[in-house]
Each structure stands twice: as C-alpha cells, then as structure tokens.
Amino acid sequence: MRHRLRDPVTGLLFVLPMLVLFLIFRIFPTLGAAGMSLTNWNIGGEWSFIGADNYTRLVNDPNFWSSLRATMVYTVIYVPLVMAVSLGTALLLNSIVFLRGLFRGMLFLPYVTSFVFAGIIWRWIYEFDGLINGVLAKLDLGPVAFMERAELVLPALALVSCWKGFGYSMLILLAGLKAIPGSYLEAAKVDGAGPWQRFRGITLPLLKPALFFVLVIETIASFQVFDTIYVMTGGGPAKASYTLIYGIFERGFRFWEFGYAATWGMVLFAVVLVVSLIQRRFVGKENT
Amino acid sequence: MTMTATRPAATRVRQGATPRRHGTRWALYALLAVMSLLTLGPFIAMVIVALSPRGEPTVPVQWPDSLTFDNIMQVLNASGFVEWTLNSLIYSAVSVVIILLTASMAGYAFAKKRFPGRDTMLWTFLATMMVPFQATLIPLYVLVSDFGGADTFWGLIVPTLANSQAVFLMRQFILGLPDELFDAAKVDGASELRVYWTIVVPLTKPILATLGVFVFLWHWNDFLWPLVISQSDATRTLTVGLTVLKTEELQWSMLMSSAAISAVPCLLVFFLLQRYLVNSIAMTGLK
C-alpha cells in the first residue's frame, strides 16, 4: 500500500504507451468524426465549416434511408436467427455428455475464420451453378438466384453471418446454462414439472443475463456487417444490401466525400450508443 | 465485456446423467449431427472443389474421380499470394507482441498502482469501447494518410494497437493477484521493470496466451482497415488480396483453393488450442 502512494510516476509510465496510442488513434478520431461531419472535407484535404448541412443532406438522401432500412431489416432477420440457433445448440450441448467436446468444436469451427473467407465460400454455395442450386436441380426444382433477388439477399447474408458467428454466442449461453444449479431442475422435476415447464420456469429466467448479453452484442454486430457484403453483393442488387457501413465506405472511399461519410458514421455511432446504453441499464438492474 | 462465471468442473452437474428414454437421447444426437454437418458442410465442399481438377463437375458435392494439388500450387505461384500471406503474418504477429506488452503494462498500472487521473483514464478507455471502429474510420484514415501512413506497415499496424478490451482483460486478471507479492518484491528492492518482468509477466501467462490467440485471429481476419489503408501488394493482407482475386476472371477451384489456404493458420490455432479457446470465451467474454 505504501509504495503505491509514494510512486505515482511509475504508474503513469506503465500506462503511457497504451495511453498515447489511445489518445491518437481512438479519442482523437472520435472527436474528429464529430467535427468532420460538420465540414465538406474531401480528398484534397480542403474543407470549410458548413454547419449542419451534411445532416440536412442526410435526412434528404434516399440512399441513407434505404441503407438504414436495409440495416434494420438485416438486424431483424439476423438477431432472432442467431439467437435461436445459438440457444438451440447450447441447449442440445448441455443435455449430452458423451462427445460433447467434439460437437462443441465442430459447431464452433467457423467462428475462427474470417468474414471474407465465409463470403467467398458462400458466394459459391449461392451461385447459379453452386451448391444449393445443384441440390435443388437434383430435386427437379428450379434454380434460385439468391444474390440477384432483392428480397432474398438480406436473409441469405444473415444466414452467412449466422453460420460464421453463432459459435461465440453458443459458448456464452452454454456457460450460462452450466451455471444453473442442477438441484433447481431436479426439484422442479420431482414436483412434476415437464421439460417445457422447467425450461420456462427455471432455465429461461436464470439464463436471462447471458441471453441479454448475447442479444446486445449480436445486435451491435449486425449493425456493423460489411465484409460479407463487400465480397458477396457489393451492396446490390439495386442497393438491397447497401447497409450503413457500406454507405460509410462508399461515401468515403469511392466518392471521397470524407465530411459526408463522417456524418453517416455519426448515425452508426448514435445507434450503437443507444443499444449499449439500453444494455447498461438492463444489466445494471439484473445485478442489483 | 462481462465476466460470465462458470462453475468449477468438480461441482458441475451432469444433467445428461439423469435417466432418460433412449429415444430422446438418439434424437438429441441426431439433431446435433445435422447441425454439425450444416456447419462443416461448407468446409468440406470447399476442400473438394479446391482439390478437384478444373472443369470437373463438383456440384452438388460429389467426390471427383481424381484429386489434384494443381489448384493449390497455382494459387501459391500466383503473383501476390505469398506476399499477401507474409503481410498478414507480419500484421498479426507484430500486433500480438506489441498489444500483449502495452496492454499488460497498462493493466498492471490500472490494477496495482495509484497515479493522478487513473480512474478518469480507465473510464475513458471503457467509454471508447462503445464507439464503433467504423464510425471513426474516416478521420482515422485522414489522420494516418496525412502522416504518410497510407500503404505502409506502420499505417496498417499502429492504429490497431489501441485495444481497450485487451487492457481491461489484463486489469481484471492482475486485480486478482495478491498485493503481498508486489509489496514483498518492493521490500527486496526490486525495480518496477523487474517487478513487471519477473512477477506480472510470468503470473499472467495464461491470460497473455489467450489474448495472444485472439489478437492473432482478429488481425489475421481483419478486413476493413487493411482494405482502406493497403493500396499495393507491398502491404496488402490476405483478406484484401482474396477480394482482389475475386474481381479477376477466376475459376471457382482457384478461388476455393485460395480461401482454403487463407484459413489454414486459423484452423491450426483452432485445432491446437480448441479447449483453451472455448473455455476462455466462456470465462472472459472475449470477442
């Protein structure tokens, strides 16, 4: 205790490398994003302060609204899908003992690969002469152009992200399930509660914190989808998969409108902030 | 990041051990087998396509008459591919080393030191975790390229080293180490660097290893930042390189071979450290 009080300099010195990295590459760009969104900054580095013009432009930009809509639709498809798959597989894994490790490993495997990798593999799976259409052809069913039909492209992309990522949520939920005392379930069983009643009455309420954590991280992840879209659709067809991040990327690095791209970034920030704050509020309540 | 507590193995209740009808048991295994097949299917299909001679029908997945490594060899000989792989290795390995070092130093100070502004700094680190990287992409790119960092290794690596999750993980772990250890070392007259190197580093080895694996995977699989900052083969990483390949007229067998090769390090890490990876996610919520 004594030496800590005596020696404030070493503490600072140890934090310094990370602190410097932080100030330059996290804090400064965060403040910079807010500032930049009020300018017409372009590729030449010339800029002038234009106040809220970018924000006015944003609300009048049909591209922005369609991208927000695409992002929301994607989230509404992806989040329930990944929650259902990760909860289902976690429950399955939790009710077996023999070969549990093997199954857990196989289900988790895609998680360690990249979204670019997943995008390439699945582009081939969805291709006109790809895996799914090959199977459909065997069944004498017509080919489906997954990547060319506006109403199919977001569900198809959500499926890819679910395939690649559900293992992580599955593990979090599995840890939550393991933490539920078996005696509770036994007692309920003795009292004559069926499997469904035990799930509703005991497992689900006790799993709530883990479920909520997974819900929040998957919601945030779904707002940040980009790699698979870049690889698989390029925002198409007809902007059906043109999401917020794709908008930031294209505004910034195709049209080189840095100021306006930063404005799109602020919207993403706001959305993620709201989701995080809701999480903090609810998790806080869970803990008290 | 939440700390999801797992029960120690000894007290774990084996729910599967309760008597159950055989039919249910078989149904559970059948369902798991189907799920696993759906998860592994794309990998298996990829390997088959990658190893099939070109032009041979592979859809729907059927074992080709003969297997060939021609596609793999051709990818390895293709311009850029080996260079991109090396770039990815440099990007990942350098990041792992520096992040482990800086994050464990900062974690130690936050956990066991008192200095002015400590709690404010810690709070700020925590707050920045809520800012999505993509929201700061544009100013970060402008900043780095203004300092001549576009298409350089430092421009690629240095901005990704500010990793608050790593700092927090280290802090949480070091908080749990007993104060007496550090006091005793201090009484013995050990310098701060010595305390760090002979107490903090050895005692945090398990968490350093876990973090190292995750940082490696994050960087190896990273895409958006390398995409905007690397402009030539000199700094282009494998993930970005794969999307460059895509645009050229390429056969699927070649593309699948490239994808397969790109996943090898991740799959190796996975097979060697599976149990370890899985447990650390459950315990620390590392993403």
Side-chain angles (χ1 to χ4, degrees):
Chain A
M1 203 65 189
R2 248 175 304 119
H3 76 268
R4 287 198 245 151
L5 288 169
R6 217 173 46 203
D7 205 6
V9 182
T10 49
L12 265 174
L13 280 178
F14 271 77
V15 175
L16 198 64
M18 201 43 120
L19 186 66
V20 170
L21 286 169
F22 244 78
L23 285 173
I24 300 176
F25 298 110
R26 289 297 293 169
I27 311 285
F28 187 63
T30 301
L31 302 175
M36 246 180 163
S37 72
L38 302 172
T39 69
N40 59 359
W41 204 307
N42 63 27
I43 186 173
E46 297 141 27
W47 62 278
S48 53
F49 186 78
I50 55 167
D53 282 7
N54 279 331
Y55 290 89
T56 321
R57 181 177 166 195
L58 193 74
V59 290
N60 293 315
D61 187 342
N63 277 334
F64 167 71
W65 290 109
S66 79
S67 85
L68 196 60
R69 187 177 164 276
T71 310
M72 295 290 180
V73 170
Y74 176 83
T75 302
V76 168
I77 300 168
Y78 171 74
V79 174
L81 179 70
V82 76
M83 294 287 290
V85 173
S86 50
L87 180 61
T89 49
L91 285 169
L92 280 173
L93 286 177
N94 196 44
S95 28
I96 65 163
V97 176
F98 182 59
L99 293 182
R100 181 197 276 176
L102 178 74
F103 280 116
R104 192 182 57 180
M106 289 195 290
L107 294 170
F108 181 69
L109 187 63
Y111 178 78
V112 298
T113 63
S114 67
F115 278 107
V116 170
F117 171 88
I120 290 173
I121 304 293
W122 281 83
R123 220 161 54 99
W124 172 73
I125 292 174
Y126 288 140
E127 275 286 291
F128 209 65
D129 53 359
L131 184 62
I132 295 180
N133 281 320
V135 173
L136 288 179
K138 286 263 161 168
L139 302 169
D140 277 332
L141 294 168
V144 182
F146 293 96
M147 294 290 104
E148 279 89 45
R149 282 174 55 182
E151 74 277 15
L152 287 182
V153 71
L154 287 174
L157 285 166
L159 187 65
V160 178
S161 299
C162 181
W163 174 80
K164 199 250 171 220
F166 83 93
Y168 174 81
S169 293
M170 175 187 79
L171 290 181
I172 297 284
L173 294 176
L174 191 58
L177 284 172
K178 279 189 192 165
I180 296 173
S183 54
Y184 290 12
L185 293 160
E186 287 303 321
K189 206 170 183 179
V190 171
D191 289 345
W196 174 243
Q197 280 175 306
R198 272 176 281 155
F199 177 71
R200 286 247 354 228
I202 297 170
T203 309
L204 213 51
L206 289 174
L207 199 59
K208 230 166 86 185
L211 276 171
F212 202 80
F213 174 70
V214 167
L215 178 70
V216 170
I217 57 155
E218 293 293 3
T219 308
I220 292 176
S222 72
F223 279 106
Q224 298 179 320
V225 60
F226 175 76
D227 306 6
T228 46
I229 292 177
Y230 183 89
V231 174
M232 297 177 76
T233 70
K239 304 230 165 186
S241 62
Y242 192 94
T243 56
L244 274 180
I245 309 270
Y246 205 84
I248 296 174
F249 174 76
E250 202 182 55
R251 284 291 142 195
F253 301 101
R254 197 156 293 157
F255 303 121
W256 305 102
E257 297 177 296
F258 291 144
Y260 190 44
T263 312
W264 284 61
M266 293 307 287
V267 174
L268 176 78
F269 177 35
V271 173
V272 170
L273 187 69
V274 168
V275 175
S276 306
L277 289 177
I278 293 173
Q279 172 209 22
R280 232 145 263 278
R281 202 184 159 84
F282 274 81
V283 170
K285 268 186 193 156
E286 284 301 331
N287 290 343
T288 48
Chain B
M1 188 191 317
T2 57
M3 296 291 156
T4 315
T6 39
R7 293 157 68 82
T11 62
R12 195 169 66 202
V13 177
R14 296 194 147 199
Q15 285 160 8
T18 52
R20 213 190 271 264
R21 277 177 304 135
H22 280 293
T24 328
R25 175 61 39 85
W26 279 112
L28 289 178
Y29 278 96
L31 266 174
L32 274 169
V34 170
M35 282 305 298
S36 305
L37 199 65
L38 289 176
T39 317
L40 295 187
F43 287 104
I44 299 166
M46 167 189 74
V47 172
I48 294 176
V49 175
L51 296 181
S52 296
R54 260 189 265 178
E56 194 154 312
T58 48
V59 171
V61 179
Q62 52 189 12
W63 204 255
D65 296 333
S66 62
L67 293 178
T68 171
F69 283 94
D70 286 355
N71 300 313
I72 306 265
M73 293 316 292
Q74 201 165 342
V75 166
L76 289 176
N77 290 328
S79 73
F81 197 86
V82 173
E83 205 173 356
W84 303 335
T85 311
L86 285 176
N87 292 342
S88 275
L89 268 179
I90 294 170
Y91 180 43
S92 310
V94 173
S95 304
V96 168
V97 172
I98 302 181
I99 288 179
L100 289 190
L101 198 68
T102 53
S104 63
M105 282 169 62
Y108 168 48
F110 279 132
K112 297 289 182 191
K113 297 281 164 198
R114 284 190 183 181
F115 50 91
R118 184 186 71 173
D119 295 339
T120 315
M121 276 183 224
L122 198 61
W123 192 88
T124 315
F125 274 44
L126 185 70
T128 58
M129 281 163 88
M130 280 197 219
V131 184
F133 166 76
Q134 298 93 335
T136 64
L137 178 70
I138 303 293
L140 192 62
Y141 173 80
V142 170
L143 178 78
V144 172
S145 60
D146 274 358
F147 281 97
D151 211 22
T152 67
F153 271 107
W154 79 258
L156 179 66
I157 297 171
V158 178
T160 65
L161 301 175
N163 187 321
S164 47
Q165 214 177 348
V167 174
F168 273 99
L169 191 70
M170 293 312 299
R171 174 184 176 262
Q172 292 308 106
F173 193 84
I174 296 169
L175 266 181
L177 300 178
D179 282 350
E180 289 76 14
L181 271 175
F182 300 98
D183 290 334
K186 203 69 188 178
V187 169
D188 290 347
S191 67
E192 277 301 338
L193 267 181
R194 205 181 151 79
V195 171
Y196 168 75
W197 196 248
T198 57
I199 299 182
V200 177
V201 171
L203 287 179
T204 53
K205 259 185 192 158
I207 203 77
L208 284 173
T210 308
L211 186 59
V213 169
F214 274 94
V215 173
F216 180 84
L217 289 177
W218 290 334
H219 280 77
W220 187 270
N221 291 333
D222 193 14
F223 179 62
L224 184 55
W225 181 245
L227 176 70
V228 300
I229 211 74
S230 319
Q231 284 140 13
S232 71
D233 280 349
T235 60
R236 191 170 280 152
T237 64
L238 199 46
T239 45
V240 182
L242 286 176
T243 66
V244 177
L245 276 180
K246 173 199 86 170
T247 55
E248 294 157 16
E249 274 312 306
L250 259 186
Q251 296 238 355
W252 275 112
S253 51
M254 292 280 288
L255 206 46
M256 288 300 191
S257 305
S258 322
I261 300 169
S262 80
V264 166
C266 304
L267 298 182
L268 265 181
V269 163
F270 175 76
F271 284 118
L272 292 176
L273 303 169
Q274 198 228 114
R275 185 172 297 269
Y276 198 56
L277 262 177
V278 161
N279 288 336
S280 65
I281 286 183
M283 279 186 298
T284 61
L286 257 180
K287 190 163 166 66

